[in-house]
C-alpha cells in the first residue's frame, strides 16, 4: 500500500489534469453535438454520449494501467506487438471481417464493439521506432544498418493503411515516426533524402486518387462546389462565424441540426466554437499546448534513449492529430477524417489516445523517481 501511495505522489498531476479536461469536455460536447443525430437515427438523443462514456470508462482503466506499467517492458514485447499490428491491418481488409463505412474498410467487430485497428497501429509504431532507434544509437550515422531496416516496416504499414483507404492516418503515422527519427540523431542528408521521398510519395497518392484530389481542391476554395465537396467546410465556416468570441451558449448550435456533417466526430470543434466561441477554442488549445509542453519536458529530462524517443513520439502523435483536425475545420488543411484527440466521438481513437497519455505519465514518474534518487545521493 505504501508503495502504491509513493507512486501516486510521483504522478504528473498537470498532465493528468489536461487529459481529464480534454476527455471530459469532449464527452460533454459529444452529447451536445450528437444529440440531434442520435434522436433522428436511433430515437435516443443520448446514444452517442452513452457510447462515448462507455469507451471513456474503458479508456480510463487502460490509462491508469499504462501510467503504472513500466515503460521499458514494452521493449520486451515489441516484436509481438508489431506482428499483431500487421495481423490487424490484414484482417481489416478481408471481406468477411472488415467493416465498411462510407466507402472505407477500416473497422473490425470485437464482440459488440467496433475497433479501428489503425488507431492501435499508431501507438505500436511509435513504440517500435523509439525502441529500435534507441538501440541503434551507436551506428545511427550508417544509413543501411542504422536507419533503413525499420523504414521497411513503416512502408509496409503505410501501404496497408492506404489500402483501407486512409491516407490521413498513414501520413500521421509517417510524421510521428519522422519526429522520432529526427530526434534519434540521423544525418541531415539522410533526413533530407527521406523527407523528399516521403513528400513525393504522399503527393503522388494524394493527386492520383480522384476523391483525394477533390478534397485538395475543395479545401482551397470550397465555394466552387457549395453543394458538393465544399459543403462540409462551408458549414464549418458558418458555425465558426456564428460563435464569435463568447459563443451562442452550450447546446445552442444550429449547424449540428443536420447542416454540418460529422458534427460529433471530425468537425466537433466547429460546434464547440459555435456554442462556446473563441473562449472554448482557446481553452482546448491551451490544454493541448500544456500536454505538448509536458511531453517535450519529459523527453528533455529523461536520460534513457528509449524513454526520450518514446516521449517525443507520443507527444507528436497527439499534436499532429490535433493539428490535422483543427487545420481541416478551419480550412487550412485538406479534410482527412482524423478525429480531434480525446474530444471527437470514436471509441478506438479515445482508447489509444488515453493509453498514449498514460505512457507519458509513466515516463514523467520515471523522471521524478530519478531526480529523487539523485537528491538522496547529494
Amino acid at each position: 500500500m505504501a508503495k502504491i501511495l509513493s507512486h501516486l505522489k510521483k504522478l504528473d498531476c498537470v498532465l493528468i489534469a489536461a487529459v481529464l479536461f480534454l476527455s471530459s469536455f469532449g464527452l460533454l460536447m459529444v452529447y451536445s453535438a450528437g444529440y440531434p443525430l442520435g434522436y433522428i437515427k436511433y430515437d435516443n438523443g443520448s446514444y452517442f454520449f452513452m457510447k462515448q462514456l462507455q469507451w471513456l470508462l474503458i479508456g480510463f482503466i487502460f490509462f491508469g494501467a499504462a501510467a503504472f506499467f513500466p515503460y521499458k517492458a514494452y521493449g520486451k514485447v515489441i516484436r509481438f506487438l508489431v506482428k499483431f499490428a500487421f495481423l490487424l491491418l490484414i484482417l481489416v481488409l478481408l471481406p468477411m471481417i472488415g467493416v465498411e463505412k462510407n466507402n472505407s474498410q477500416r473497422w473490425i467487430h470485437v464482440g459488440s464493439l467496433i475497433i479501428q485497428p489503425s488507431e492501435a497501429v499508431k501507438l505500436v509504431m511509435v513504440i517500435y521506432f523509439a525502441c529500435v532507434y534507441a538501440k541503434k544509437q551507436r551506428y545511427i550515422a550508417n544509413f543501411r544498418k542504422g536507419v533503413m531496416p525499420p523504414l521497411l516496416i513503416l512502408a509496409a504499414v503505410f501501404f496497408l493503411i492506404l489500402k483501407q483507404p486512409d491516407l490521413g492516418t498513414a501520413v500521421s503515422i509517417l510524421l510521428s515516426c519522422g519526429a522520432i527519427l529526427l530526434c534519434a540523431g540521423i544525418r541531415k542528408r539522410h533526413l533530407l533524402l527521406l523527407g523528399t521521398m516521403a513528400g513525393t510519395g504522399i503527393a503522388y497518392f494524394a493527386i492520383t486518387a480522384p476523391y483525394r484530389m477533390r478534397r485538395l481542391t475543395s479545401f482551397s476554395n470550397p465555394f466552387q462546389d457549395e453543394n458538393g465537396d465544399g459543403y462540409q467546410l462551408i458549414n464549418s465556416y458558418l458555425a465558426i462565424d456564428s460563435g464569435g468570441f463568447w459563443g451562442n451558449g452550450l447546446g445552442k448550435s444550429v449547424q449540428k441540426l443536420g447542416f454540418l456533417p460529422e458534427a460529433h466526430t471530425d468537425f466537433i470543434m466547429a460546434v464547440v466554437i459555435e456554442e462556446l466561441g473563441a473562449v472554448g477554442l482557446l481553452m482546448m488549445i491551451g490544454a493541448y499546448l500544456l500536454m505538448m509542453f509536458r511531453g517535450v519536458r519529459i523527453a528533455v529530462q529523461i536520460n534513457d534513449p528509449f524513454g526520450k524517443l518514446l516521449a517525443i513520439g507520443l507527444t507528436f502523435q497527439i499534436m499532429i492529430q490535433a493539428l490535422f483536425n483543427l487545420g481541416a475545420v478551419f480550412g487550412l488543411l485538406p479534410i482527412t477524417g482524423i478525429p480531434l484527440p480525446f474530444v471527437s466521438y470514436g471509441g478506438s481513437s479515445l482508447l489509444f489516445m488515453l493509453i498514449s497519455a498514460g505512457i507519458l505519465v509513466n515516463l514523467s514518474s520515471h523522471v521524478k523517481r530519478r531526480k529523487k534518487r539523485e537528491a538522496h545521493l547529494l
Side-chain angles (χ1 to χ4, degrees):
M1 189 65 178
K3 192 173 183 180
I4 294 175
L5 290 173
S6 176
H7 192 89
L8 286 171
K9 290 179 182 178
K10 296 180 180 66
L11 294 178
D12 192 329
C13 295
V14 176
L15 180 57
I16 292 172
V19 172
L20 290 176
F21 168 74
L22 285 170
S23 54
S24 57
F25 183 77
L27 183 65
L28 175 66
M29 292 313 302
V30 164
Y31 177 75
S32 177
Y35 192 92
L37 183 61
Y39 186 80
I40 293 168
K41 196 171 182 179
Y42 301 100
D43 196 28
N44 179 6
S46 301
Y47 176 83
F48 296 110
F49 170 82
M50 295 306 297
K51 287 283 187 180
Q52 189 78 343
L53 177 60
Q54 177 186 4
W55 278 107
L56 185 59
L57 294 175
I58 294 171
F60 278 153
I61 294 171
F62 280 89
F63 171 76
F68 283 89
F69 188 74
Y71 75 88
K72 291 184 180 180
Y74 294 113
K76 299 177 181 177
V77 295
I78 190 58
R79 288 187 178 181
F80 168 77
L81 291 176
V82 171
K83 290 176 182 177
F84 186 64
F86 270 103
L87 177 63
L88 289 175
L89 290 178
I90 292 169
L91 287 176
V92 77
L93 296 174
L94 299 180
M96 300 299 292
I97 299 176
V99 177
E100 186 176 343
K101 295 180 183 179
N102 300 324
N103 299 318
S104 298
Q105 195 162 315
R106 306 175 185 175
W107 302 268
I108 57 174
H109 276 290
V110 179
S112 61
L113 301 175
I114 297 180
I115 301 291
Q116 188 172 353
S118 60
E119 294 295 337
V121 175
K122 288 177 186 177
L123 178 57
V124 170
M125 288 306 296
V126 166
I127 296 172
Y128 171 66
F129 261 57
C131 179
V132 171
Y133 285 112
K135 294 177 180 178
K136 291 178 176 289
Q137 288 296 292
R138 287 178 298 151
Y139 42 92
I140 196 70
N142 186 319
F143 186 81
R144 182 178 294 180
K145 186 179 179 182
V147 179
M148 193 63 187
L151 297 181
L152 300 176
I153 301 293
L154 178 61
V157 167
F158 181 89
F159 284 110
L160 283 172
I161 294 177
L162 201 63
K163 290 288 289 182
Q164 297 180 5
D166 191 357
L167 180 61
T169 296
V171 171
S172 72
I173 293 174
L174 216 62
L175 292 175
S176 300
C177 292
I180 294 173
L181 258 178
L182 176 64
C183 296
I186 70 169
R187 288 183 174 182
K188 290 181 181 178
R189 60 190 178 93
H190 293 163
L191 187 65
L192 181 62
L193 172 65
L194 293 173
T196 302
M197 290 174 60
T200 304
I202 292 168
Y204 171 78
F205 290 118
I207 64 176
T208 51
Y211 81 95
R212 293 191 191 115
M213 192 62 194
R214 288 197 302 270
R215 285 185 177 182
L216 286 173
T217 54
S218 65
F219 104 90
S220 60
N221 188 1
F223 296 96
Q224 282 186 344
D225 189 9
E226 296 182 10
N227 297 314
D229 292 312
Y231 179 81
Q232 190 168 23
L233 185 53
I234 289 172
N235 280 279
S236 176
Y237 287 160
L238 292 172
I240 293 168
D241 181 65
S242 172
F245 188 78
W246 297 107
N248 298 312
L250 187 63
K252 295 183 179 179
S253 165
V254 174
Q255 290 302 313
K256 70 184 180 184
L257 302 176
F259 299 102
L260 178 64
E262 311 297 338
H264 61 303
T265 55
D266 305 347
F267 276 73
I268 196 168
M269 180 54 81
V271 178
V272 171
I273 298 173
E274 187 180 5
E275 295 188 351
L276 301 177
V279 174
L281 171 65
L282 291 173
M283 286 194 302
M284 293 184 66
I285 289 178
Y288 284 122
L289 290 176
L290 186 59
M291 287 190 69
M292 184 177 72
F293 170 76
R294 301 302 288 192
V296 172
R297 186 182 180 187
I298 291 166
V300 170
Q301 293 182 340
I302 202 164
N303 57 1
D304 169 43
F306 175 40
K308 189 179 292 291
L309 295 178
L310 184 57
I312 285 293
L314 293 172
T315 302
F316 274 84
Q317 179 193 66
I318 296 169
M319 293 306 118
I320 287 167
Q321 287 191 218
L323 182 64
F324 274 23
N325 181 275
L326 293 174
V329 169
F330 285 96
L332 301 174
L333 292 172
I335 297 171
T336 58
I338 290 180
L340 189 61
F342 306 102
V343 179
S344 291
Y345 175 78
S348 299
S349 172
L350 181 61
L351 174 62
F352 289 102
M353 282 290 107
L354 286 169
I355 294 173
S356 298
I359 297 172
L360 275 177
V361 171
N362 183 266
L363 289 164
S364 180
S365 299
H366 181 83
V367 171
K368 289 186 176 183
R369 285 195 295 272
R370 180 179 60 81
K371 286 185 176 180
K372 188 175 180 179
R373 287 196 299 269
E374 290 175 353
H376 282 307
L377 290 173
L378 293 173

